[in-house]
Amino acid sequence: MLYPDDIEFKLGFSAIRNQIADRCLSPLGAELTDNMVFMTDINAIELEHNRTFEFVKIIQNGLDFPSDNFFDLRPVFSRIRPQGTYPIPEEVLTMKLSLRTLKTIALFFKSDEKKQQFPHLSETASKLKLYPFVFDLTDKIVGKTATIRDNASPELARIRRAISDKQQQVSKVVAQLFRQAQSGGWADPDSQPVIRDGRLMIPILAPFKRQIRGIIHDESTTGKTVFIEPGQAVEINNAIREDIAEEKREIRRILIAFADEIRPYLADLSEAYAILGIFDFTRAKSLLSISLNANKITIIDEPIIELEDAVNPILYLNFKSEQKTVVPLNITLIPEERILLISGPNAGGKSVALKSVGILQYMMQCGIPISARDSSRLGIFKSIFINIGDDQSIDNDLSTYSSHLLHMKQTLRHCDNRSLVLIDEFGSGTEPVIGGAIAEAILDKLNESHVFGVITTHYSNLKHYASQTPGIANGAMMFDTAKIEPTFKLEQGKPGGSFAIEIAHKIGLPTDVINDAKNRAGEDTANFDKHLREILRDKKYYEDKRDQIRRQEKRLEEVIQKQLQFLDEAQKTKSEIKKQSRDEAEKFLAEVNKRVESAIREIRESQADKEKTSAIRKDLESLRQDIKNGKKSKSDTIDLQIENVHRVARKHNIATKKDQEESKPKVLEKGDYVKIVGQTTIGQIIEISAKIAAVAFGDFITTVSPKKLEYLSNNQARKELRGSQKSQFNSEMSKKRISFRPHIDVRGKFADEAIMLIGEFIDSAIMVDAKELKILHGRGSGILRQVIREYLKTVHQVQSVADEHIEQGGDGISVVKLH
């Protein structure tokens, strides 16, 4: 359900529809644009998006896809369905040209490569039913123009030859008589025969009109010249007239025969032209998508809105022509926080944010790509209800507030958990107290229905209700308090202030009026925005600190994983070295055996000759000494290699078989202090089994195999903990002292951003025991200086704040002294 009926107008979607229609090539695409509707079937929606992005790829890659001769022949097909009816030659020509376009489209998607690149468009093109003989018939009847070809039938060719022969005869007769008239002085020497009413005539001077036998058809405006059809040419021209009539009858017969030939295929041809319209429509949407820098987002079949860097398309197109930039929108509506209540200053962008959500959701469900980051996600809503603008009516006796209540009645009656509700200026138009109460009651009812929605308001009671109610979240349109102007950025999770006092100051309202307004409103109400900014500033500070801790923990985990990977690689290297050493040892022993056997063989062959035996014994003794104590043999190298492996293993705390033989490891138990092998960080086992152990390293808990843990005694653990903590602390403090600078520049920053930076600056100063700081904020309007001074008064460690010496910056710099 879409409510109200003019929802497209209120959201601005009519402009998007016009943008697509303007990019269509034919009435075929324009008709589909007019018939485009809000869809709830995810398959149909995804099909439209997939087709569009495939066509975007065709355009951006510069592929040769046809973009001309997109004609709508369906009205012609409807007209020639009855027997005896026929198309005119111009329609046959457009049929020929558009059939050629359809044939080109079918051939474009015929290759396997194109089918893989553009599967959805290929599927659409595969439904085309084209009959080559129909194109051949059109080509036989007409050529490049809408004139029927002479060879369309033998009879037509004979008739046209007869007409041509007779026209030549007429030309000869007229030319001969005209020369005779000129020689006799009956015709102007500079004149020429003319054609009037399809007949060739001679211009004769009026006084000599009786000199030529024939029929006078016309005279000049002055009456000095008459136009005579010679008597000899009259009969020939009459015959030509008869032949032309016969030619028309033959053309009519040819066209009727053509219609009879194609009539059985009109249904398929009409469907082919409907598919041609789909390509025209899809092409127009893709051109708009390119203009909007649209991306392919994720579409899911459940209600959800997660928009990142989304841009209102109407604003984007308008600003693009003016070379302006649209501030992107980030908004999330999920089951836990379905309704977003946006507050903030007037003209701060609340209504634009609300309409942007509405038009982007509507475009997506109409099959049109949207301007948002590709990581965005949108779900499918079954209904959309909007309450935007002033619908007061004199005719129906409706005030602005009455019309709002009427809309809310319809919304409450029909909304459910698949509905998107958009309400602008919720509760306005009546007395604030009762209006706010009614708005809160309606909001509660909407929340009970589990609707998704975006609502804008100024009412404080609604902001408090949203902060305390599950399913509803506050959102704020940000405001630059230094420049006193909106930033048009939406930030979820906090309410926005009206900043009425600041805006009143900026526009120059008298100070006494503003102060009187503060007194009337009360100190708490007047300072609401100020307190809100302080709360949000502190919240952002601690959120940043939390994110910093998370990043450090992530880096620590990455370091541990790298170390574990390194140990695995070292273990693998050790195994490879051992294998290589064994292979070399076996090779060396084989060489030794070979030499011994050779020596024995030589002794036997020499029949124990004493001198020979003595020489062989000397060689063997030399070899034995080499192996045992002498020159470095391969055996020594192998031993050294093995020892190196053990040394590397011990260095990286990898237990080798040799180590295991020397000492059996202690069985690890819950509560033992341990280190991960190869690491220095000490942790304590909180759970352990045969295959896995849970170890706490400070606030960080990880799981690791017990084989990768090294046992530490309690005394050893305490000793190493004290040493590492002291060393780490001294190292960090030394780095901080070296890098710390006792001055900070916050010029050009928003007030909230400047306060956050100054808070971190003072924290660092306290850690390094700095006593005097300087804050450069500039002069400007003095608002940033005032905000900073007010903040410094709330910091207990600040002893005093004063202006810098006039020669060194004066009141543009605040000098802060710490206790």
Side-chain angles (χ1 to χ4, degrees):
M1 179 179 181
L2 299 175
Y3 180 84
D5 294 336
D6 60 346
I7 185 172
E8 291 192 2
F9 173 77
K10 287 182 176 291
L11 291 176
F13 184 77
S14 303
I16 298 298
R17 197 185 290 272
N18 292 336
Q19 288 283 342
I20 297 174
D22 291 343
R23 290 169 169 80
C24 290
L25 297 170
S26 72
L28 292 163
E31 180 183 330
L32 289 177
T33 303
D34 291 338
N35 295 334
M36 181 170 50
V37 296
F38 181 84
M39 298 178 288
T40 56
D41 181 4
I42 189 171
N43 295 322
I45 294 170
E46 288 185 332
L47 175 61
E48 289 298 323
H49 281 265
N50 289 329
R51 282 175 176 168
T52 303
F53 279 108
E54 287 177 8
F55 216 114
V56 167
K57 191 187 300 183
I58 289 174
I59 295 173
Q60 291 179 336
N61 292 342
L63 301 181
D64 189 18
F65 191 89
S67 60
D68 52 2
N69 299 322
F70 278 67
F71 299 110
D72 186 5
L73 271 295
R74 293 174 301 170
V76 177
F77 297 151
S78 298
R79 196 182 73 244
I80 66 174
R81 286 186 189 278
Q83 198 73 24
T85 55
Y86 58 92
I88 61 176
E90 288 78 5
E91 293 170 342
V92 178
L93 176 62
T94 56
M95 189 183 305
K96 172 186 173 180
L97 296 175
S98 53
L99 285 173
R100 181 181 294 160
T101 298
L102 282 167
K103 180 181 178 182
T104 306
I105 292 173
L107 290 174
F108 182 90
F109 295 105
K110 190 173 183 179
S111 68
D112 292 338
E113 180 184 0
K114 292 292 196 305
K115 289 178 181 178
Q116 291 178 357
Q117 286 182 314
F118 317 108
H120 299 90
L121 289 177
S122 297
E123 176 67 20
T124 303
S126 68
K127 298 176 182 178
L128 285 171
K129 293 182 180 179
L130 301 176
Y131 300 95
F133 84 93
V134 176
F135 176 80
D136 294 339
L137 282 176
T138 60
D139 190 48
K140 180 181 178 182
I141 293 174
V142 294
K144 294 182 179 180
T145 64
T147 303
I148 303 297
R149 291 181 185 270
D150 292 348
N151 59 357
S153 74
E155 181 62 16
L156 182 62
R158 182 195 66 77
I159 294 171
R160 287 184 173 171
R161 282 196 302 271
I163 292 173
S164 178
D165 292 343
K166 291 169 183 174
Q167 287 175 339
Q168 290 178 7
Q169 291 178 25
V170 170
S171 297
K172 288 179 181 179
V173 169
V174 171
Q176 182 180 0
L177 290 174
F178 184 66
R179 285 195 299 270
Q180 182 180 349
Q182 282 183 321
S183 61
W186 308 335
D188 192 313
D190 296 330
S191 62
Q192 291 291 334
V194 297
I195 296 177
R196 295 292 177 91
D197 297 329
R199 294 173 179 265
L200 195 59
M201 303 180 190
I202 301 173
I204 301 295
L205 297 173
F208 303 101
K209 61 184 179 181
R210 300 299 179 188
Q211 299 297 324
I212 299 293
R213 187 173 63 85
I215 300 174
I216 299 175
H217 284 272
D218 200 0
E219 65 179 18
S220 65
T221 54
T222 61
K224 293 181 179 180
T225 304
V226 295
F227 299 97
I228 301 175
E229 180 184 7
Q232 299 94 319
V234 171
E235 292 184 3
I236 302 175
N237 280 330
N238 289 337
I240 290 175
R241 290 261 184 174
E242 293 176 0
D243 288 342
I244 291 174
E246 188 176 358
E247 178 191 25
K248 290 180 179 179
R249 288 192 294 272
E250 179 60 18
I251 289 175
R252 180 174 177 273
R253 186 197 65 77
I254 291 171
L255 294 174
I256 290 174
F258 169 74
D260 292 341
E261 289 280 353
I262 69 171
R263 190 167 288 114
Y265 309 99
L266 291 181
D268 290 340
L269 289 172
S270 295
E271 185 177 345
Y273 278 87
I275 293 174
L276 183 64
I278 292 175
F279 280 102
D280 187 13
F281 175 57
T282 305
R283 174 185 174 276
K285 288 197 298 179
S286 66
L287 290 173
L288 177 62
S289 300
I290 293 172
S291 298
L292 294 174
N293 288 326
N295 289 309
K296 190 172 185 179
I297 66 169
T298 301
I299 303 172
I300 57 178
D301 195 14
E302 60 184 55
I304 190 174
I305 292 178
E306 292 179 354
L307 289 172
E308 299 179 19
D309 291 341
V311 175
N312 186 299
I314 308 300
L315 280 181
Y316 180 81
L317 293 174
N318 292 337
F319 280 21
K320 190 176 181 181
S321 61
E322 300 173 7
Q323 296 183 343
K324 295 181 180 179
T325 303
V326 180
V327 178
L329 173 70
N330 295 285
I331 188 169
T332 300
L333 300 181
I334 55 177
E336 293 78 16
E337 293 183 346
R338 302 178 309 279
I339 301 176
L340 179 65
L341 189 74
I342 303 178
S343 51
N346 286 317
K350 299 188 299 297
S351 298
V352 172
L354 179 143
K355 286 187 177 181
S356 296
V357 173
I359 193 171
L360 293 173
Q361 183 69 37
Y362 200 92
M363 285 174 63
M364 184 278 289
Q365 292 196 229
C366 285
I368 306 171
I370 64 171
S371 303
R373 191 181 296 178
D374 54 10
S375 56
S376 300
R377 298 197 307 162
L378 285 180
I380 306 300
F381 291 95
K382 301 298 183 183
S383 57
I384 297 180
F385 299 88
I386 68 170
N387 188 353
I388 301 173
D390 185 0
D391 289 333
Q392 63 178 324
S393 171
I394 296 176
D395 295 336
N396 297 329
D397 195 24
L398 283 178
S399 67
T400 300
Y401 188 66
S402 299
S403 67
H404 285 320
L405 291 181
L406 182 61
H407 286 313
M408 293 317 306
K409 181 184 76 171
Q410 295 295 329
T411 301
L412 291 173
R413 181 179 296 175
H414 299 288
C415 68
D416 57 24
N417 61 347
R418 298 300 295 264
S419 298
L420 176 63
V421 177
L422 307 173
I423 307 174
D424 193 23
E425 298 295 345
F426 194 30
S428 64
T430 189
E431 194 273 323
V433 175
I434 190 63
I438 293 175
E440 186 174 330
I442 293 174
L443 182 57
D444 184 67
K445 201 69 176 177
L446 291 173
N447 191 35
E448 287 180 3
S449 299
H450 292 86
V451 304
F452 286 69
V454 178
I455 299 173
T456 68
T457 188
H458 285 286
Y459 285 175
S460 297
N461 67 306
L462 296 181
K463 302 176 192 178
H464 291 301
Y465 177 77
S467 64
Q468 300 169 1
T469 306
I472 308 176
N474 273 303
M477 299 307 299
M478 302 306 293
F479 190 82
D480 184 355
T481 54
K483 297 180 180 179
I484 314 298
E485 61 183 28
T487 64
F488 303 107
K489 293 181 180 179
L490 171 66
E491 187 166 337
Q492 289 188 231
K494 60 185 180 183
S498 64
F499 296 94
I501 299 297
E502 288 82 352
I503 295 173
H505 272 296
K506 182 178 182 181
I507 66 175
L509 203 65
T511 305
D512 57 338
V513 174
I514 295 174
N515 292 334
D516 186 29
K518 286 183 179 180
N519 294 331
R520 291 174 183 271
E523 190 68 22
D524 291 340
T525 302
N527 292 331
F528 176 78
D529 290 339
K530 175 186 173 183
H531 297 321
L532 180 62
R533 288 196 303 272
E534 292 174 352
I535 293 170
L536 297 178
R537 180 196 66 220
D538 293 342
K539 178 183 177 183
K540 188 174 189 307
Y541 175 77
Y542 289 112
E543 286 179 347
D544 291 343
K545 287 293 184 183
R546 183 180 59 189
D547 291 340
Q548 184 179 0
I549 293 171
R550 287 175 178 173
R551 288 194 298 270
Q552 290 175 348
E553 289 181 347
K554 186 176 180 181
R555 284 197 296 269
L556 176 61
E557 186 177 351
E558 289 174 354
V559 169
I560 292 173
Q561 290 299 325
K562 286 181 181 179
Q563 290 296 324
L564 293 176
Q565 183 180 358
F566 174 76
L567 291 176
D568 291 340
E569 291 175 355
Q571 185 71 30
K572 183 179 179 181
T573 302
K574 181 190 75 172
S575 301
E576 291 176 353
I577 293 174
K578 279 188 173 183
K579 182 177 183 302
Q580 182 181 357
S581 299
R582 284 195 297 269
D583 293 343
E584 291 181 358
E586 290 176 0
K587 183 178 178 181
F588 178 73
L589 290 176
E591 182 181 348
V592 170
N593 288 334
K594 182 178 178 182
R595 291 181 63 178
V596 171
E597 290 174 0
S598 176
I600 294 171
R601 187 171 59 253
E602 289 182 9
I603 291 173
R604 289 175 178 172
E605 290 176 354
S606 62
Q607 296 179 353
D609 180 80
K610 292 183 178 180
E611 293 181 1
K612 186 70 172 176
T613 302
S614 176
I616 293 172
R617 282 178 177 172
K618 288 181 179 179
D619 290 342
L620 290 175
E621 182 64 22
S622 175
L623 175 61
R624 188 175 65 82
Q625 290 297 328
D626 288 344
I627 294 173
K628 185 175 180 181
N629 299 317
K631 300 175 184 178
K632 199 175 214 181
S633 66
K634 292 184 179 180
S635 177
D636 298 324
T637 304
I638 293 170
D639 289 340
L640 286 174
Q641 288 175 340
I642 293 174
E643 181 59 32
N644 286 336
V645 172
H646 283 288
R647 188 166 59 253
V648 170
R650 285 193 297 273
K651 180 179 179 181
H652 295 287
N653 294 324
I654 301 174
T656 64
K657 289 185 178 180
K658 181 179 179 182
D659 298 328
Q660 293 172 357
E661 291 172 357
E662 290 176 355
S663 61
K664 291 185 179 180
K666 178 186 180 300
V667 178
L668 298 176
E669 299 175 352
K670 182 177 179 181
D672 286 345
Y673 288 100
V674 292
K675 292 192 296 186
I676 295 178
V677 175
Q679 304 295 317
T680 59
T681 306
I682 299 174
Q684 189 173 23
I685 298 175
I686 56 176
E687 292 291 342
I688 188 167
S689 63
K691 295 183 178 181
I692 194 166
V695 184
F697 294 93
D699 294 333
F700 178 70
I701 299 176
T702 187
T703 56
V704 66
S705 171
K707 296 179 181 179
K708 296 182 178 180
L709 295 177
E710 178 184 353
Y711 170 77
L712 296 175
S713 65
N714 291 343
N715 292 333
Q716 185 179 2
R718 283 194 293 271
K719 182 178 178 182
E720 291 195 17
L721 280 172
R722 284 195 299 269
S724 63
Q725 288 173 353
K726 183 177 180 181
S727 174
Q728 183 178 5
F729 178 77
N730 290 336
S731 175
E732 290 294 328
M733 290 304 299
S734 177
K735 290 180 181 178
K736 285 183 179 293
R737 287 193 180 95
I738 293 173
S739 61
F740 180 75
R741 296 291 180 271
H743 50 78
I744 184 172
D745 186 353
V746 294
R747 290 176 296 177
K749 304 291 186 184
F750 294 154
D752 293 343
E753 184 180 3
I755 294 301
M756 184 189 72
L757 293 174
I758 291 171
E760 294 178 353
F761 175 59
I762 292 176
D763 289 346
S764 300
I766 294 171
M767 291 181 66
V768 301
D769 199 26
K771 296 301 182 183
E772 183 175 290
L773 310 174
K774 292 184 179 181
I775 301 173
L776 176 58
H777 44 66
R779 292 187 176 89
S781 62
I783 295 176
L784 184 59
R785 174 179 176 274
Q786 180 183 352
V787 172
I788 292 173
R789 292 289 180 93
E790 290 178 358
Y791 166 69
L792 292 174
K793 291 177 182 178
T794 65
V795 180
H796 298 297
Q797 289 81 1
V798 174
Q799 181 178 355
S800 65
V801 182
D803 292 338
E804 177 61 284
H805 192 276
I806 188 67
E807 295 179 355
Q808 298 180 3
D811 59 359
I813 300 175
S814 292
V815 179
V816 182
K817 292 187 177 181
L818 304 179
H819 289 294

